[in-house]
């Protein structure tokens, strides 16, 4: 099956800093999504981005499908950004496969 | 829309008992997924339904686990008999050819 690797596994930031999270995948996909799991355990869909670039406020994501990676950018981080960020990939007709996540801690 | 609704939020049960987890997907979504999250294994797919039909159940651990989707608005995941190693957070998600929406999860503890 498709392998999903996320880096870094852990990230500690001061409030206001910027960060880049990376997701590499081992095979062609046509479905890629980024999720945030907050400290209460809730999984929130951030982006559906099988290719191209999208932005939503301080967050943006870029997927280069031909090179099999995606990047999630967080600018001017806030304490509420803390949690685990998951990348998940798949192909149509199958369910998403999740990476192990990047744990982000933002301190004030 | 109220989102994906799971019940119960927490369940504590004794080993050997039957456990039933419930999920109501978002109205109009045609795909439903059950995932399990543990520290050791992360988020892993248990089963995936499309238009109420099970498409991929290769993640169901063993015969003790079963899932049903009798109609487009309801699904259950049953564990019988439950074992301590089943302790985990069980998530349900739904989708309509695009982004997944997850429920709040059921935290299951088997003692």
């Amino acid at each position: 099956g498709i392998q999903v690797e996320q880096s870094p596994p852990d990230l500690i930031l001061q409030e206001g800093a910027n960060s880049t999270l990376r997701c590499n995948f081992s095979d062609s996909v046509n479905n890629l999504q980024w999720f945030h799991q907050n400290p209460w355990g809730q999984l929130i869909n951030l982006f559906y981005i099988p290719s191209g670039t999208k932005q939503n406020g301080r967050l943006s994501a870029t997927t280069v499908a031909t090179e099999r990676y995606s990047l999630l950018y967080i600018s001017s981080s806030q304490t509420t950004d803390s949690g685990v960020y998951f990348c998940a990939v798949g192909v149509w007709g199958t369910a998403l496969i999740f990476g192990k996540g990047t744990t982000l801690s933002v301190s004030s | 829309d109220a989102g994906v609704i799971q019940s119960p939020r927490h369940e504590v049960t004794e080993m050997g008992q039957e456990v039933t987890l419930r999920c109501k997907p978002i109205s109009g979504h045609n795909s439903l997924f059950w995932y399990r999250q543990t520290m050791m294994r992360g988020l892993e797919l248990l089963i995936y339904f499309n238009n109420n039909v099970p498409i991929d159940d290769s993640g169901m651990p063993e015969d003790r686990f079963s899932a049903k989707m009798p109609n487009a608005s309801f699904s259950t995941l049953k564990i019988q008999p439950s074992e301590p190693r089943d302790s985990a957070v069980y998530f349900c998600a739904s989708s309509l050819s695009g982004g997944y929406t997850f429920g709040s999860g059921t935290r299951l503890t088997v003692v």
Side-chain angles (χ1 to χ4, degrees):
Chain A
I2 301 174
Q3 304 298 311
V4 184
E5 291 186 3
Q6 293 187 242
S7 60
D10 301 283
L11 190 56
I12 300 174
L13 299 175
Q14 286 286 328
E15 207 168 21
N18 302 328
S19 61
T20 301
L21 282 59
R22 187 177 180 99
C23 172
N24 292 332
F25 42 97
S26 62
D27 209 341
S28 298
V29 301
N30 50 28
N31 189 352
L32 189 147
Q33 301 181 33
W34 284 94
F35 296 86
H36 176 221
Q37 187 166 38
N38 64 25
W40 297 271
Q42 193 172 10
L43 279 160
I44 306 298
N45 193 306
L46 298 174
F47 294 103
Y48 166 69
I49 185 166
S51 64
T53 298
K54 289 186 177 180
Q55 182 158 7
N56 184 1
R58 296 181 296 102
L59 272 59
S60 63
T62 295
T63 297
V64 183
T66 53
E67 298 187 20
R68 299 180 185 171
Y69 73 89
S70 183
L71 302 173
L72 177 69
Y73 305 96
I74 305 174
S75 64
S76 303
S77 58
Q78 301 177 359
T79 56
T80 52
D81 295 331
S82 296
V84 183
Y85 290 81
F86 290 102
C87 170
V89 305
V91 296
W92 290 124
T94 68
L96 290 177
I97 298 169
F98 281 75
K100 294 187 183 305
T102 292
T103 299
L104 175 64
S105 297
V106 182
S107 58
S108 58
Chain B
D1 200 314
V4 177
I5 300 173
Q6 291 188 244
S7 65
R9 290 296 307 276
H10 303 274
E11 177 81 37
V12 180
T13 190
E14 292 186 347
M15 183 173 62
Q17 296 298 304
E18 177 179 295
V19 176
T20 299
L21 311 182
R22 296 171 175 80
C23 176
K24 176 179 170 56
I26 290 175
S27 177
H29 282 191
N30 61 353
S31 295
L32 183 141
F33 311 86
W34 284 99
Y35 283 84
R36 178 170 68 176
Q37 186 177 33
T38 60
M39 288 293 292
M40 291 294 293
R41 301 174 68 90
L43 274 159
E44 52 181 347
L45 176 74
L46 297 177
I47 188 168
Y48 152 41
F49 292 88
N50 186 253
N51 293 322
N52 312 339
V53 176
I55 303 299
D56 180 2
D57 66 354
S58 59
M60 296 286 265
E62 49 199 87
D63 291 347
R64 298 185 298 106
F65 284 66
S66 63
K68 294 182 179 180
M69 193 165 185
N71 56 62
S73 60
F74 185 64
S75 177
T76 60
L77 177 68
K78 186 177 294 186
I79 308 172
Q80 165 64 18
S82 57
E83 296 182 2
R85 59 190 168 125
D86 302 330
S87 297
V89 180
Y90 290 81
F91 286 102
C92 175
S94 70
S95 172
L96 176 65
S97 64
Y100 286 21
T101 300
F102 277 83
S104 298
T106 295
R107 181 174 294 277
L108 173 65
T109 303
V110 182
V111 298

